[in-house]
Amino acid sequence: MDLKTVSALRRLRLVSAPEAISFLVLLVCSVLKRTTDFNAVPVMGAVHGFLFVAYLLFWADAWNRAKWPLKTAAWYFLMSVIPLGGFFAERRLRRTEENALIALRARREGVVNA
């Protein structure tokens, strides 16, 4: 894995948790809209929409660069559309990113021929 691929994974990781948080806040705002006079759905809808589109763009870039199999790409896509899924995606992406960085550093220092 090269540095551009690791960067693509990092971008996806960095947007996954905020996207999940905005999804949960949007759900809470939707409930509050129907039960009280509080209506933050238009604002939170726009925020979540922006983060969701960013997630999809970064997901497509990471899929292209990392050459994920369809099963892995589908898993990351599914994590963007279920509540709390972004947290699971962030955790898995963090591990993948850390492992890739360790391998890159080892390759640069000539420790391994991977």
Side-chain angles (χ1 to χ4, degrees):
M1 196 175 295
D2 63 346
L3 194 55
K4 288 185 179 185
T5 304
V6 174
S7 296
L9 294 176
R10 178 172 288 160
R11 283 189 299 271
L12 181 60
R13 179 180 65 84
L14 290 175
V15 79
S16 63
E19 191 272 336
I21 291 169
S22 71
F23 190 16
L24 293 174
V25 172
L26 181 60
L27 290 175
V28 169
C29 288
S30 295
V31 170
L32 289 175
K33 177 183 175 183
R34 285 155 180 65
T35 58
T36 66
D37 291 334
F38 183 74
N39 185 11
V41 172
V43 173
M44 279 313 301
V47 169
H48 174 66
F50 173 78
L51 290 170
F52 183 71
V53 169
Y55 183 95
L56 289 181
L57 291 172
F58 295 151
W59 167 77
D61 185 38
W63 183 10
N64 182 41
R65 290 186 186 276
K67 307 293 187 234
W68 287 333
L70 184 59
K71 182 179 175 182
T72 303
W75 187 85
Y76 282 115
F77 178 78
L78 182 63
M79 291 300 106
S80 72
V81 295
I82 61 171
L84 301 175
F87 298 116
F88 296 108
E90 192 273 337
R91 186 175 177 184
R92 192 167 164 186
L93 285 163
R94 185 175 359 105
R95 274 189 253 128
T96 304
E97 177 189 338
E98 287 171 355
N99 291 340
L101 283 173
I102 290 168
L104 275 172
R105 288 182 186 135
R107 234 180 278 129
R108 261 193 219 142
E109 295 173 5
V111 176
V112 293
N113 292 326

